Amino acid sequence: MSDPTPYDRIGGEPAVRMLVDRFYDLMDLEHGYAGIRALHPASLEGSRDKLFWFLCGWLGGPPHYVDRFGHPMLRARHLPFTIGIAERDQWMACMKQAMADVGLEAEFAERLAASFFNTADWMRNRGA
Ligand code: HEM
C-alpha cells in the first residue's frame, strides 16, 4: 500500500469542501481579508466550486478541476488581479485560520501551509 495522500489524510471530498467553505466564509466576514475579498466577484459561489475542484487534485485526490477546465495555468489565471505581498499574506492568513477552524491537526496544517505559501507566492505579479 502506498502512503496516504494529503487528500486522504484530510478526509476526502467532504473535508476539502468544508475547508473551502470556511475559507470563503472568513473572506466574507473578516475585515482583515477585505482586500482580497474585493478582488473576487460579488457572489463567491463560483469561486468556492473552483477552489474545491482544484484543491481535490492539488492534495492528491481526483482531478476535478483538470477534468473540467484542463491545465490550471494558475499563475496566468491570476494575472488579471493585482497580487502583491499584502494580498499573498491575506490569502495565507485566511487559509491558516480556515484550517484551524475546521480542526486540522496542527502539524499537518503547518505542512500544508508551507505548500500553500509556495503556490501563493508564485501567484504574485507585483513586487510589493
Ligand atoms: C496569493 C493570493 C491569491 C489571491 C489574491 C487570489 C485571488 C483569486 C481571485 C480574485 C480569483 C477569481 C475568482 C473567481 O473567478 O471566482 C481566483 C481564482 C482562483 N484561485 Fe486564487 N488567489 C490567490 C491565491 C491562490 C492560491 C494559493 C490558490 C491555490 C492553492 C488559488 C486557487 C485559485 C483557483 C483554482 C481559482 C479559479 C481559477 C479559474 O478557473 O478561473 N488561488 N483567485
Side-chain angles (χ1 to χ4, degrees):
M1 278 269 288
S2 50
D3 286 344
T5 61
Y7 175 81
D8 298 323
R9 174 95 197 267
I10 202 172
E13 270 185 26
V16 179
R17 186 87 229 184
M18 218 192 293
L19 176 64
V20 167
D21 279 339
R22 186 62 189 152
F23 174 78
Y24 278 117
D25 286 349
L26 286 168
M27 202 190 281
D28 244 353
L29 287 167
E30 298 277 337
H31 182 69
Y33 310 137
I36 55 171
R37 176 65 186 90
L39 299 175
H40 287 75
S43 165
L44 290 173
E45 292 314 303
S47 315
R48 284 177 197 264
D49 282 343
K50 287 179 193 162
L51 188 59
F52 165 66
W53 290 327
F54 177 81
L55 288 185
C56 284
W58 187 80
L59 292 165
H64 296 311
Y65 185 95
V66 173
D67 287 350
R68 286 169 175 81
F69 306 113
H71 191 287
M73 298 184 298
L74 217 49
R75 193 166 192 285
R77 288 194 211 265
H78 285 76
L79 285 178
F81 315 108
T82 300
I83 302 181
I85 289 181
E87 290 77 15
R88 176 199 70 190
D89 289 351
Q90 278 184 31
W91 197 99
M92 283 303 303
C94 190
M95 182 53 78
K96 283 184 185 175
Q97 192 177 342
M99 289 195 289
D101 285 357
V102 299
L104 293 199
E105 192 249 311
E107 197 193 316
F108 178 56
E110 266 171 43
R111 278 201 282 126
L112 280 188
S115 297
F116 273 128
F117 181 84
N118 287 335
T119 303
D121 194 51
W122 176 59
M123 234 60 86
R124 269 194 308 126
N125 48 42
R126 188 175 61 143

